[in-house]
Amino acid sequence: MKREHDVRALLRWYPKDWRDRYGEEFVALVHDSVGEGTITLSLRRSIAISGLLERSHHSGLIGERSTVPVQRRTGSLVVLVAWAVMSVGGLSLFKSAEHFSNALPTSARTVPQVAYDVVAAAGILGSLLVVIGAGIAMPALIRFLRGGGWLDVRNVFAGLMLTGVVLAGATIGLGIWAHHLTWAQRNGADSLYAAAFVLYVFEVVVSIGVAIRATIVVVTKLDLSPGVLRSESIVALGVCAATLAVAASSVVWWFQMSLHAPWFLRGTVPGVAVSPWSMPMIVASSIMLVAMTGALFGASRVAVSYRRAH
Amino acid sequence: MTENQQHGLRRPNDPPMLLLTSLASGPKHGYALLKDVEDFAGVTLSPGTLYGAITRLEELGLIEPLAGVDRRRPYRITASGAATLREATTQMRRLAEVGTTRLRLIGGFAS
């Protein structure tokens, strides 16, 4: 009985459609293969990898086994997820770059200022495109909810609301606290505030994760017409371009700051010769690199879906 | 890339190739397929790999399920699957003949 439960638990690596079609015979095969023995770790790993591969094919993430609409929708969602990740990287950059122009000699301000402005403009543009994408899908969402879909997604919405409320509370609370602190206390001198800020960043990341999950769960249930999917995929390509612009401009900004004011990046005394490799910038750049790779991958899936359609 | 290459029938030990070869001798369910492949090719497929190949071959219409016994469902090769296997084995035979001939020329193949 425990074995049966164990094998069925492993089946959860596979998509539901696959489980409905092959689940019973797969369970029988694992029983026949293992006999009286135990399900080894390598067998578990093998089933997990096969299941994830099947899920990836099924969702249109890899290969060409899914339909064109599914592949197009998945590609667009990957770009959206990449944009959410890029937002975290972009916000880290903005936090690190506060008052950066004061640290630069007047003659060296133009290029980093332009790069910073491009990051801001691309960030606003990308966010606007995401809002437009959400607007395009709104009629399908309303149809879905009115058609009884609410019961399918209410738990997802509840989770989203809960994290939203917690995040709003944390933002207001931290904001009030920060208002009563000096600049030095806000930037590491007050260890209690620093710990709270780390927790706040964690909450932001969790909230973004919950929002991404909710979006994926809901969007994959929507009945999107070919026209809506085409519009969404064009929006996704625009978001991908914004992601690339943010990443490229951030690199230019970082390079310029490391040339003219590396001490600013390290938070040390002006004029001191230091390495520009500051931890916050390395973390922000790594996040942006991940986001850029994801956006390019998603955009490539969208592009391939157009090639397949012709 | 040829159609067979897209089907995962490039090499003799590709799982879809092994499954089609096994089913060419008659319908078999999952465990019987695993054992047969192990016997004739010396390859042990994991359940995940086996069902990955079954899923793909069924989607392509190269194999089809029969009525199951208990929870075990046998599969059989379709006419299209037989044609695909024939084409793949012909290509492999041609490659084997060219390889053998060239090895003889350099004296690297005794028989």
Side-chain angles (χ1 to χ4, degrees):
Chain A
M1 201 61 198
K2 186 181 177 300
R3 161 81 60 78
E4 179 80 12
H5 182 265
D6 226 12
V7 180
R8 288 197 181 279
L10 284 170
L11 266 182
R12 298 197 67 81
W13 289 103
Y14 286 87
K16 186 177 180 307
D17 289 355
W18 193 95
R19 294 200 300 266
D20 292 345
R21 167 63 186 83
Y22 296 103
E24 288 303 316
E25 50 193 286
F26 187 79
V27 171
L29 171 66
V30 175
H31 275 290
D32 289 344
S33 304
V34 175
E36 294 302 311
T38 54
I39 301 173
T40 61
L41 195 63
S42 75
L43 180 57
R44 286 175 194 278
R45 193 176 56 228
S46 157
I47 292 174
I49 291 170
S50 302
L52 288 176
L53 273 175
E54 200 56 47
R55 270 187 191 274
S56 303
H57 277 292
H58 190 260
S59 64
L61 205 56
I62 58 171
E64 297 193 354
R65 280 167 56 189
S66 64
T67 60
V68 168
V70 167
Q71 186 177 343
R72 195 165 291 172
R73 182 192 310 229
T74 300
S76 304
L77 276 173
V78 170
V79 174
L80 177 66
V81 172
W83 179 253
V85 174
M86 180 56 91
S87 305
V88 176
L91 289 175
S92 315
L93 176 80
F94 276 119
K95 174 73 183 153
S96 310
E98 272 180 327
H99 312 301
F100 74 92
S101 57
N102 297 341
L104 291 165
T106 317
S107 59
R109 280 183 188 168
T110 312
V111 179
Q113 187 62 56
V114 169
Y116 185 83
D117 291 345
V118 171
V119 171
I124 292 168
L125 178 70
S127 303
L128 269 177
L129 285 171
V130 169
V131 172
I132 291 170
I136 294 170
M138 200 50 74
L141 176 64
I142 293 167
R143 274 199 309 276
F144 169 74
L145 295 176
R146 280 186 178 164
W150 167 247
L151 293 174
D152 280 352
V153 294
R154 62 183 172 180
N155 289 341
V156 175
F157 271 104
L160 191 61
M161 292 295 289
L162 183 67
T163 49
V165 167
V166 171
L167 183 63
T171 306
I172 293 167
L174 206 65
I176 293 169
W177 189 359
H179 191 66
H180 292 95
L181 298 177
T182 63
W183 184 89
Q185 283 175 316
R186 283 200 304 272
N187 287 277
D190 186 330
S191 53
L192 199 60
Y193 178 80
F197 190 78
V198 170
L199 271 178
Y200 176 73
V201 171
F202 179 72
E203 166 63 14
V204 170
V205 172
V206 168
S207 300
I208 290 173
V210 170
I212 289 172
R213 183 177 172 272
T215 307
I216 293 172
V217 167
V218 173
V219 171
T220 49
K221 288 178 187 294
L222 297 184
D223 184 17
L224 301 176
S225 69
V228 168
L229 266 178
R230 196 166 42 247
S231 306
E232 293 287 8
S233 62
I234 292 167
V235 167
L237 294 177
V239 173
C240 177
T243 307
L244 297 183
V246 169
S249 307
S250 301
V251 170
V252 171
W253 181 85
W254 193 14
F255 181 70
Q256 286 293 316
M257 292 304 290
S258 64
L259 272 184
H260 302 294
W263 56 86
F264 176 82
L265 297 172
R266 299 298 296 269
T268 56
V269 181
V272 176
V274 287
S275 160
W277 296 95
S278 69
M279 190 48 75
M281 281 308 298
I282 291 171
V283 171
S285 307
S286 306
I287 292 171
M288 286 184 182
L289 183 67
V290 170
M292 195 174 67
T293 309
L296 284 172
F297 177 73
S300 74
R301 296 305 292 168
V302 169
V304 168
S305 79
Y306 278 100
R307 195 204 66 202
R308 284 178 68 196
H310 293 102
Chain B
M1 191 182 280
T2 67
E3 204 175 334
N4 272 359
Q5 285 173 332
Q6 286 175 336
H7 295 168
L9 296 162
R10 267 170 286 196
R11 296 180 299 265
N13 61 347
D14 278 336
M17 181 72 185
L18 293 170
L19 260 57
L20 284 183
T21 306
S22 175
L23 292 175
S25 69
K28 292 176 192 69
H29 58 69
Y31 187 63
L33 275 167
L34 276 188
K35 286 285 141 199
D36 189 41
V37 167
E38 211 170 291
D39 285 347
F40 77 76
V43 175
T44 306
L45 298 175
S46 70
T49 306
L50 177 78
Y51 263 88
I54 286 177
T55 307
R56 182 116 179 86
L57 290 171
E58 197 186 345
E59 278 174 4
L60 292 165
L62 303 181
I63 63 172
E64 62 188 4
L66 300 171
V69 181
D70 291 336
R71 293 190 295 184
R72 292 165 187 79
R73 189 194 298 273
Y75 290 86
R76 76 170 162 214
I77 193 166
T78 62
S80 169
T84 302
L85 179 62
R86 195 171 303 118
E87 193 193 323
T89 52
T90 303
Q91 283 175 1
M92 285 173 195
R93 194 178 308 120
R94 200 176 302 135
L95 178 69
E97 282 167 3
V98 172
T100 307
T101 307
R102 291 182 181 181
L103 274 173
R104 280 206 188 99
L105 288 174
I106 61 166
F109 200 75
S111 58

